[in-house]
């Protein structure tokens, strides 16, 4: 049972044409591990809080999983203790994933398949995707569309400032599967929890 691989499609809500990634992760992954894999596959920098919302097979109610932040978030279960295999099933295939509560990047997580582990494949892996992830801290969907408008017009009065803020040209259509590099979730956890 520990040799299965979960294939997920992650789609960023509210942007057309869609921005999405298809990743495969081991069934032993926790929600923290899945969070790190999503960050890496999408191109986010993991500067902000996150939260999954998924139906709990035990209670049939919604469960929030992330990094609990003090007394006001007692209902958020710690992601590094919750296994994805305990929640994602053939009958319970979807979850919402929120990244950066200020910008409000919502993602739909869909379990597409449960597969046998392939020999000589290093997991996690990104097997497909479309379009570049919006730049970190660009202001959510509205800010992203504003950025695209400015960057699409070199004569725009804010073009030079936006280019300086971005640090480089931004191509919203660019996605190269070979540029996806996965980080060690344990290393990131140590940084996250201090």
């Amino acid at each position: 049972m520990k040799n299965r691989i979960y294939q997920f499609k992650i789609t960023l809500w509210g942007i057309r044409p869609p921005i999405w990634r298809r990743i495969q992760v081991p069934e032993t992954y926790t929600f923290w591990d899945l969070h790190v894999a999503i960050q890496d596959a999408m191109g986010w920098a993991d500067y902000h809080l996150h939260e999954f919302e998924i139906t709990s097979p035990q209670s049939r109610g919604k469960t929030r999983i992330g990094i609990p932040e003090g007394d006001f978030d007692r209902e958020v279960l710690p992601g590094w203790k919750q296994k994805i295999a305990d929640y994602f099933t053939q009958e319970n295939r979807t979850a919402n994933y929120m990244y950066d509560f200020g910008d409000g990047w919502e993602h739909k997580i869909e379990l597409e398949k449960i597969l046998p582990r392939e020999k000589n494949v290093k997991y996690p892996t990104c097997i497909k995707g479309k379009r570049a992830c919006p730049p970190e801290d660009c202001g959510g969907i509205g800010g992203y569309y504003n950025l695209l408008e400015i960057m699409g017009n070199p004569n725009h009065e804010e073009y030079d400032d936006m280019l300086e803020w971005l640090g480089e040209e931004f191509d919203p259509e660019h996605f190269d599967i070979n540029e996806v590099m996965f980080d060690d979730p344990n290393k990131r956890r140590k940084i996250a929890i201090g």
Side-chain angles (χ1 to χ4, degrees):
M1 292 297 281
K2 301 295 183 201
N3 289 321
R4 299 186 309 173
I5 298 300
Y6 282 43
Q7 180 173 301
F8 293 103
K9 183 175 182 183
I10 299 105
T11 306
L12 185 58
W13 279 347
I15 295 178
R16 294 287 174 248
I19 298 168
W20 61 272
R21 305 290 184 265
R22 182 167 285 126
I23 64 172
Q24 295 178 340
V25 303
E27 71 175 316
T28 56
Y29 259 32
T30 65
F31 277 86
W32 172 260
D33 301 329
L34 180 59
H35 156 72
V36 171
I38 292 169
Q39 289 285 302
D40 293 340
M42 291 298 289
W44 297 117
D46 201 6
Y47 295 148
H48 303 282
L49 293 175
H50 71 280
E51 182 176 283
F52 292 89
E53 186 178 79
I54 187 167
T55 301
S56 171
Q58 296 81 15
S59 69
R60 296 285 181 217
K62 293 288 183 186
T63 298
R64 296 168 51 217
I65 301 171
I67 300 177
E69 285 290 308
D71 290 338
F72 66 93
D73 255 345
R74 282 185 228 179
E75 296 177 13
V76 176
L77 299 176
W80 45 81
K81 292 183 179 180
Q82 309 302 313
K83 300 277 188 186
I84 62 171
D86 293 338
Y87 290 86
F88 285 103
T89 65
Q90 295 296 348
E91 297 76 34
N92 197 39
R93 301 173 80 84
T94 62
N96 296 328
Y97 171 73
M98 172 70 80
Y99 173 63
D100 184 353
F101 299 142
D103 280 2
W105 298 113
E106 292 186 60
H107 305 70
K108 177 183 179 184
I109 311 297
E110 180 182 3
L111 173 64
E112 293 185 315
K113 301 176 185 177
I114 300 176
L115 306 162
R117 179 185 286 267
E118 290 184 34
K119 290 183 181 178
N120 302 320
V121 174
K122 185 178 178 196
Y123 296 101
T125 187
C126 182
I127 60 172
K128 201 162 185 182
K130 292 286 185 191
R131 305 187 73 226
C133 185
E136 199 85 37
D137 296 325
C138 71
I141 293 171
Y144 177 63
Y145 281 126
N146 185 54
L147 178 146
L148 294 179
E149 181 182 328
I150 293 168
M151 295 311 294
N153 179 4
N155 296 320
H156 193 286
E157 64 184 41
E158 295 178 48
Y159 181 86
D160 290 335
D161 290 338
M162 186 66 74
L163 184 59
E164 184 179 337
W165 178 76
L166 287 169
E168 60 186 22
E169 291 285 332
F170 176 72
D171 178 2
E173 301 305 318
H174 177 77
F175 174 71
D176 183 346
I177 200 167
N178 297 310
E179 294 174 0
V180 175
M181 299 298 200
F182 289 98
D183 198 6
D184 178 355
N186 292 320
K187 182 174 80 174
R188 280 239 202 121
R189 180 179 170 207
K190 288 176 186 172
I191 293 168
I193 63 175

